[in-house]
Amino acid sequence: MAEYEKEKPASPSSGHPQAYDKEERGERPTGFYGWYSHPTVQVIMLGFVCFMGPGLFNAVNGLGGGGQVDATTSANGNVALYSTFAFTAFVAGSINNYLGSRLTLLLGISGYSLYIGSYLATNIHSNAGWFIIMAGAILGICAGLLWTAQGSLMLAYPTEQDKGLYISIFWSIFNLGGVVGSAVAFGQNYNSKANQVGNGTYIGFLVLTLIGVFIPLLMTDPKKMYRTDGSKVSTPRQPSWKTEIYSLYLALKTDPAILLLFPLFFASNYFYTWQFNDYNGALFNIRTRALNSMIYWISQIFGSLLMGKALDLKSLSRRTRAFVGWAILLVMVFVVHGWAYHYQKGYTREEVSAKDYVKMDFNDSIYPGYIWLYIFCGLLDAMWQTAAYWFMGAMSNDPAKLAIFTGFYKSIQSAGGAGAWRADAVGTPFMSMLASTWGLLAAGLIFALPMLYSRVKNHTELEDEVVARIDNDGHVKDVKELEK
């Protein structure tokens, strides 16, 4: 039996505790179970769930066209994926709150093996492109569940002053999946004369995604989790579906400021299409695409750590940190896309599609400038996603509400991704894809600014957490009643 100890409450100098967690403060297990159930360890395990699923998916997608010669089939597969993802994620918060996060994670990661398998099948049977589209549609449903459960746990486990750290820890481990996957692809295709990935690469990815299915079963039950300051993570309710749907409505009604983040959410996957297909896939041969992809995901690790550090600066108030994060994103958006515009002027979709077009190799003299742009693209991506999660985490500490917000995030994000991939599949000019990406990112920041000004407080109080005060019958309890 695990031995328990009483931790001292957080001192004023250590940061504001979870203000509304009055119950069971201070009890954390010791020994092996105490280490195993530590929030940091659980977020690391959560990172490895996404390492084995979305991380390897990113490695395949980052190759441009999924590593295939025909990028159109891959683009249409992504359209199917992000379309079902957008629908599922919108209601996935309610599904997560009803089923529980571990089961939702398990159901979510199961779709990645099927998707990787569809690329292997298409490599073997050239007329199996329909399989990629079907697998993409199924993965969209699974991904909506996985990312909603992931976001809820990642934002609920840390204390308010450590949310940036935990987001960056998760994002670093998750992106290691892209790094390892791309490194494998680079090694296996180093001497390849073809312009597509070999079967061995897809088989290796398939095995790893199957291993990842079992990790959620090993994670600690969120009901037994305590934060590092001794406050208990809110126990997930097991309400009726009617109550959960009402919670979704109530989250929007009582916290409409989340709507101002929707443009930022919409842009957060839109840029992948230009980066992966219209830059990496268009300009480089297969071994250089694999190398570029590996470097891109490595840069994401540094981007998330840098942004997480900036958003957790103890010397600044939470409101000030929110504006610092916003300013960093603004500078990065214009630096990256101004640089990208300079290169985009030099090629078109028609030129790179010609049979006699010679793809760039990493040994070419002009390569260094191009890879540095891709590094900054990776930094911007990680910073954008880290800030988006942090902005949501600054609005709530309640896992149920965070699951709903994360569902909104992934839903709107996927709608943007579906639109971008479809535009690419129908042959939209590269310059138009870049211009729309730049414009949407800038618009997302403009809309987010009033939300940060009006909604982000230095501390989150119980009165802000309407969803946390809903009982299983759908009644909202009064703050005074809960504080008794």
Side-chain angles (χ1 to χ4, degrees):
M1 179 179 295
E3 182 185 355
Y4 287 84
E5 65 177 358
K6 199 85 172 179
E7 290 189 354
K8 295 180 181 180
S11 64
S13 61
S14 66
H16 194 277
Q18 308 299 127
Y20 54 85
D21 287 322
K22 305 287 184 182
E23 74 284 358
E24 301 184 63
R25 173 176 292 280
E27 291 190 355
R28 292 199 68 248
T30 58
F32 174 78
Y33 182 74
W35 170 83
Y36 190 77
S37 63
H38 193 280
T40 305
V41 173
Q42 291 300 302
V43 168
I44 289 172
M45 293 182 71
L46 188 62
F48 276 104
V49 171
C50 291
F51 174 107
M52 297 294 191
L56 296 176
F57 165 83
N58 283 343
V60 171
N61 241 18
L63 293 173
Q68 302 283 317
V69 173
D70 179 18
T72 301
T73 300
S74 178
N76 283 327
N78 278 313
V79 172
L81 190 161
Y82 286 111
S83 297
T84 55
F85 195 163
F87 173 78
T88 305
F90 197 81
V91 297
S94 296
I95 296 173
N96 174 77
N97 292 340
Y98 189 82
L99 297 180
S101 297
R102 288 190 300 176
L103 178 56
T104 306
L105 281 173
L106 178 63
L107 293 174
I109 195 173
S110 61
Y112 288 88
S113 300
L114 178 66
Y115 187 76
I116 300 296
S118 71
Y119 278 93
L120 176 61
T122 305
N123 245 22
I124 299 172
H125 304 285
S126 59
N127 60 347
W130 60 269
F131 189 14
I132 291 179
I133 297 174
M134 183 191 74
I138 295 173
L139 177 57
I141 297 172
C142 295
L145 297 174
L146 181 141
W147 281 108
T148 299
Q150 172 272 332
S152 172
L153 295 179
M154 181 183 69
L155 296 176
Y157 284 174
T159 56
E160 289 183 352
Q161 65 268 26
D162 288 331
K163 289 194 175 184
L165 172 64
Y166 278 60
I167 294 169
S168 61
I169 289 173
F170 166 82
W171 204 258
S172 298
I173 296 171
F174 154 54
N175 280 311
L176 279 176
V179 173
V180 172
S182 300
V184 170
F186 177 60
Q188 291 199 341
N189 296 280
Y190 184 83
N191 295 314
S192 174
K193 301 298 182 182
N195 199 34
Q196 69 182 65
V197 169
N199 292 344
T201 303
Y202 291 127
I203 292 172
F205 289 179
L206 180 59
V207 171
L208 290 173
T209 55
L210 288 171
I211 293 173
V213 171
F214 296 97
I215 299 178
L217 299 175
L218 304 176
M219 295 180 67
T220 301
D221 187 341
K223 296 178 182 178
K224 301 177 182 179
M225 288 294 299
Y226 287 83
R227 300 184 182 94
T228 55
D229 67 351
S231 59
K232 192 176 187 303
V233 175
S234 300
T235 303
R237 306 180 309 274
Q238 295 295 326
S240 65
W241 285 108
K242 180 181 178 181
T243 301
E244 269 305 328
I245 297 301
Y246 177 65
S247 298
L248 190 153
Y249 159 75
L250 201 61
L252 275 176
K253 180 182 177 181
T254 59
D255 214 341
I258 190 67
L259 295 172
L260 291 171
L261 288 182
F262 279 15
L264 184 142
F265 295 167
F266 188 86
S268 62
N269 264 14
Y270 192 94
F271 47 69
Y272 285 148
T273 304
W274 184 85
Q275 293 176 1
F276 295 165
N277 270 20
D278 303 343
Y279 184 73
N280 195 32
L283 293 178
F284 305 94
N285 60 29
I286 187 61
R287 70 175 189 173
T288 307
R289 281 153 56 185
L291 175 62
N292 293 349
S293 184
M294 180 177 68
I295 294 173
Y296 178 91
W297 298 117
I298 291 173
S299 69
Q300 289 237 7
I301 295 173
F302 288 99
S304 63
L305 291 173
L306 289 171
M307 181 58 89
K309 186 69 174 177
L311 292 172
D312 277 349
L313 285 172
K314 301 296 189 292
S315 58
L316 302 177
S317 69
R318 186 161 73 168
R319 278 181 58 81
T320 302
R321 283 178 269 147
F323 292 113
V324 168
W326 184 91
I328 292 172
L329 292 181
L330 181 67
V331 171
M332 286 293 293
V333 164
F334 279 85
V335 168
V336 167
H337 291 87
W339 192 351
Y341 173 73
H342 172 69
Y343 285 145
Q344 184 59 80
K345 291 187 295 182
Y347 67 97
T348 66
R349 187 181 293 273
E350 291 72 27
E351 289 173 355
V352 300
S353 299
K355 291 184 178 180
D356 60 348
Y357 183 78
V358 179
K359 300 277 187 175
M360 191 185 306
D361 187 78
F362 61 78
N363 286 319
D364 294 343
S365 60
I366 61 172
Y367 175 73
Y370 285 82
I371 189 57
W372 271 109
L373 170 59
Y374 213 47
I375 289 171
F376 272 77
C377 286
L379 290 172
L380 172 59
D381 179 17
M383 289 178 172
W384 191 276
Q385 314 297 344
T386 300
Y389 277 117
W390 191 92
F391 293 159
M392 289 185 288
M395 298 174 73
S396 177
N397 294 317
D398 174 33
K401 186 174 182 179
L402 290 169
I404 292 171
F405 279 3
T406 305
F408 291 159
Y409 172 43
K410 304 309 290 188
S411 176
I412 304 302
Q413 177 188 73
S414 300
W421 287 110
R422 183 56 186 164
D424 193 59
V426 299
T428 302
F430 288 161
M431 185 62 80
S432 298
M433 294 297 299
L434 177 62
S436 60
T437 299
W438 194 348
L440 285 170
L441 288 168
L445 290 175
I446 292 171
F447 277 95
L449 192 57
M451 189 289 292
L452 300 181
Y453 179 79
S454 63
R455 180 62 181 81
V456 175
K457 302 177 181 178
N458 286 328
H459 309 295
T460 301
E461 305 292 348
L462 180 58
E463 61 198 36
D464 301 316
E465 303 285 34
V466 177
V467 175
R469 293 187 274 122
I470 299 177
D471 62 23
N472 288 349
D473 296 321
H475 303 299
V476 180
K477 296 182 178 180
D478 186 76
V479 175
K480 294 181 180 179
E481 180 182 352
L482 291 173
E483 290 181 339
K484 289 180 180 178

